[in-house]
Amino acid sequence: GWVAENWLSEATFACPMTGTVTSTYWDTRDGGSRYHRAVDFADGGGTPIHAAAGGTTEHRYDEGGYGNWLIIYHGNGWKTGYGHLSSFNVGDGVSVSRGDVVAYEGDTGAGTGPHLDFQVWDPNWEKQRAYYDVNDAAVQGTGVPRAFY
């Protein structure tokens, strides 16, 4: 599990979907040659994905990686990313509030089945860690546990 005391004052994000954590930050990929710098949540496909915080949306597509993905710019340089989406529920450049349904869990791009790849970037475009463990039950709307270093 995680330690609730690890919060960042500049940005507090909500868990974007309800499901099971299937991969965590620092899991290895490609036989250990690279690290996963996100948290994967899965719930079978089609589960609503919610904005972790208010901001402005930007659609992207990455055929070899995240597939349909969305970035939300939250202000003060903070961003969240949502990958492998089946579809978008908001347009490009739209203002959203924390908890708004922005997309749906999918299996686009390079993946191992329907899931959400969730990322948090700081103002320097550095990915920040969220403290979930594999098989943790994630509940949409609860705080994202994290440590920053």
Side-chain angles (χ1 to χ4, degrees):
W2 51 274
V3 178
E5 293 80 28
N6 288 326
W7 294 97
L8 178 71
S9 61
E10 294 96 328
T12 300
F13 299 109
C15 182
M17 71 173 273
T18 296
T20 302
V21 175
T22 58
S23 184
T24 61
Y25 196 96
W26 291 125
D27 279 354
T28 58
R29 298 287 198 264
D30 300 330
S33 64
R34 68 182 178 96
Y35 292 100
H36 186 236
R37 305 238 355 242
V39 175
D40 288 351
F41 302 98
D43 194 38
T47 300
I49 306 300
H50 301 259
T56 304
T57 62
E58 178 183 316
H59 293 176
R60 295 194 178 182
Y61 184 76
D62 176 11
E63 188 170 323
Y66 301 120
N68 292 327
W69 66 298
L70 181 72
I71 294 177
I72 301 178
Y73 295 87
H74 301 290
N76 297 323
W78 288 90
K79 299 148 286 278
T80 50
Y82 310 78
H84 307 296
L85 308 172
S86 64
S87 62
F88 300 103
N89 195 52
V90 294
D92 201 27
V94 172
S95 289
V96 295
S97 297
R98 177 183 173 132
D100 287 353
V101 175
V102 294
Y104 295 91
E105 174 194 17
D107 191 19
T108 60
T112 57
H115 71 285
L116 169 68
D117 180 282
F118 178 64
Q119 304 173 19
V120 177
W121 289 289
D122 69 17
N124 296 315
W125 282 95
E126 295 290 328
K127 291 181 184 176
Q128 296 297 321
R129 182 173 183 173
Y131 271 106
Y132 286 99
D133 289 329
V134 171
N135 297 321
D136 276 355
V139 178
Q140 186 276 320
T142 60
V144 172
R146 66 186 66 251
F148 295 89
Y149 46 100

